[in-house]
Amino acid sequence: MRRLGVTTFIPALIPALVPALLLLPSAATAAPAPGPDPFDDWRETVVDADQNFRGLVAVSKREAWVTGESLSDGAARVYRTTDRGTTWLDVSPPASEGLSFRDVEVTGSVTHVLAIGPGEASRIYRSADGGASWTESFRNTDEDAFYDCMAFYPGGRRGLVLGDPVDGKLQVLSTEDRGRTWSLLPDKGMPASAKEFGFAASGNCLVTAGRSAFIISGGARARVLRSDDRGLTWSATTSGIPAGPAAGGFAGDMASPRRGIAVGGDFEDADDTTDNVATTRDGRTWSAVASLRHVGEDVAFVRGWRYAVATGDYDGSAGSSITRDGGATWTRVSKLGYHAVDCVSKVCWAAGSEGRVGRG
């Protein structure tokens, strides 16, 4: 997506509870059914103010990884915490000046980081020792290619990477050996997708659930594409989120191969949030069901398929919202927004601009 644009062990700033984070509904509003609220006791830390964090993975209540790009044309960074965010370790790959780390995935003991951009700016780094050392497992050599987001299937042996169209079709990289090597899949099974692309807003324009993979797209068409054969063939359906040159679905999450939520908006008009949430109940048909009061850059289920959190922060359109009914209705719980959110064991992590990381 071409439109979006420390010491070795640094102590995180002392977390402070954001007092205005939880905005309660008015007395006239019926209280929603009880459910997990990730914004109870939410805390925010500035890890590295020079970084714009868009990559995030929540491994456990204690462990999370964030990846970013420098706001001062410096090095892209990767940070890891294993103590609930009290301290963050800089585990960045070497020679990362000028790169943009937009996605991070952890499968077992292996971590993968995706750098995005045209030509050789698109790269994948792999670490099997918690970021102590890295190998470059892929470097793009096609000047027309631009990779956006990455996802692995359960178990971590197989994974996919989504790229913008080349010769009128979206590109997909595949690995069958835990990310040690990557190969470009043939595009015979990819529907025509000229001027359609994945947004590298949060690393979640490509997600997996069980044996299925899902692409959330925007641009000329806003669709959700599904593959049940590890990326060889794809079926496409309109998401219902309005399309546009910088609009469409930005990210999604699947509670199962049948239940999912996609969020998006318009980066050229971030205040236009009409119909920027779509859901599915069968994993194959999607429809726009709601509108957030802010841009939707990422979404994550908290538990099951009913409870989820969506967030975004772009050009003055910022906020975080929760749903307790599978995405049909949303309550804005904060004016504070992030680029990425991920939840595990009822604990949510979020990452955003100027090095901000939240946990709740």
Side-chain angles (χ1 to χ4, degrees):
M1 199 288 297
R2 305 164 200 271
R3 293 147 197 84
L4 287 181
V6 183
T7 56
T8 301
F9 190 78
I10 70 167
L13 300 181
I14 298 174
L17 180 63
V18 182
L21 193 57
L22 185 61
L23 304 181
L24 298 177
S26 66
T29 303
D37 185 346
F39 289 89
D40 286 344
D41 197 31
W42 190 260
R43 295 176 181 269
E44 183 179 273
T45 297
V46 177
V47 175
D48 183 342
D50 181 56
Q51 293 291 301
N52 181 37
F53 289 138
R54 289 188 179 273
L56 165 69
V57 61
V59 180
S60 68
K61 292 180 179 180
R62 301 184 61 87
E63 182 180 357
W65 296 62
V66 292
T67 62
E69 60 193 359
S70 172
L71 298 173
S72 62
D73 297 325
R77 296 293 182 191
V78 177
Y79 288 96
R80 178 194 186 197
T81 182
T82 56
D83 57 9
R84 303 176 188 266
T86 302
T87 54
W88 291 84
L89 181 68
D90 183 346
V91 292
S92 307
S96 59
E97 289 75 12
L99 296 180
S100 177
F101 292 145
R102 290 296 184 98
D103 199 357
V104 54
E105 303 289 336
V106 176
T107 58
S109 61
V110 181
T111 302
H112 312 268
V113 172
L114 173 68
I116 71 162
E120 292 191 356
S122 283
R123 308 175 190 180
I124 302 172
Y125 294 88
R126 182 182 189 273
S127 175
D129 54 13
S133 63
W134 296 87
T135 58
E136 185 180 295
S137 56
F138 172 80
R139 181 179 296 209
N140 175 40
T141 58
D142 183 351
E143 289 300 320
D144 293 328
F146 187 114
Y147 290 94
D148 301 298
C149 43
M150 171 174 54
F152 281 79
Y153 291 92
R157 184 175 185 82
R158 299 178 174 89
L160 304 174
V161 174
L162 173 66
D164 287 348
V166 173
D167 297 328
K169 291 188 176 182
L170 293 165
Q171 292 196 303
V172 177
L173 297 175
S174 173
T175 182
E176 298 283 334
D177 58 6
R178 301 187 182 276
R180 293 181 178 86
T181 60
W182 295 85
S183 58
L184 181 63
L185 293 179
D187 65 6
K188 183 178 180 180
M190 176 66 69
S193 43
K195 297 184 179 179
E196 182 180 7
F197 39 78
F199 284 87
S202 62
N204 285 323
C205 59
L206 172 67
V207 295
T208 61
R211 297 181 179 181
S212 301
F214 300 83
I215 294 170
I216 296 88
S217 74
R221 286 177 286 189
R223 303 191 291 182
V224 178
L225 292 81
R226 173 175 174 149
S227 174
D228 296 312
D229 57 7
R230 303 191 189 113
L232 290 175
T233 60
W234 299 82
S235 59
T237 184
T238 300
S239 68
I241 299 175
F250 297 159
D253 195 20
M254 302 297 296
S256 72
R258 296 177 60 86
R259 298 274 188 170
I261 298 175
V263 298
D266 188 345
F267 283 127
E268 289 187 346
D269 184 6
D271 290 329
D272 183 359
T273 60
T274 304
D275 296 332
N276 67 342
V277 178
T279 64
T280 182
R281 293 192 174 188
D282 61 8
R284 299 187 183 280
T285 57
W286 292 74
S287 58
V289 296
S291 301
L292 302 173
R293 294 166 57 194
H294 52 82
V295 66
E297 291 189 274
D298 203 5
V299 62
F301 285 99
V302 182
R303 185 192 65 184
W305 64 269
R306 292 183 180 275
Y307 307 110
V309 55
T311 193
D313 180 10
Y314 188 81
D315 197 24
S317 179
S320 298
S321 300
I322 59 173
T323 180
R324 295 184 174 95
D325 55 14
T329 61
W330 294 80
T331 300
R332 186 176 183 178
V333 293
S334 176
K335 293 183 179 179
L336 188 66
Y338 297 87
H339 298 316
V341 63
D342 196 17
C343 304
V344 60
S345 302
K346 301 182 185 179
V347 172
C348 290
W349 300 78
S353 60
E354 297 179 330
R356 297 180 300 116
V357 177
R359 182 186 183 278

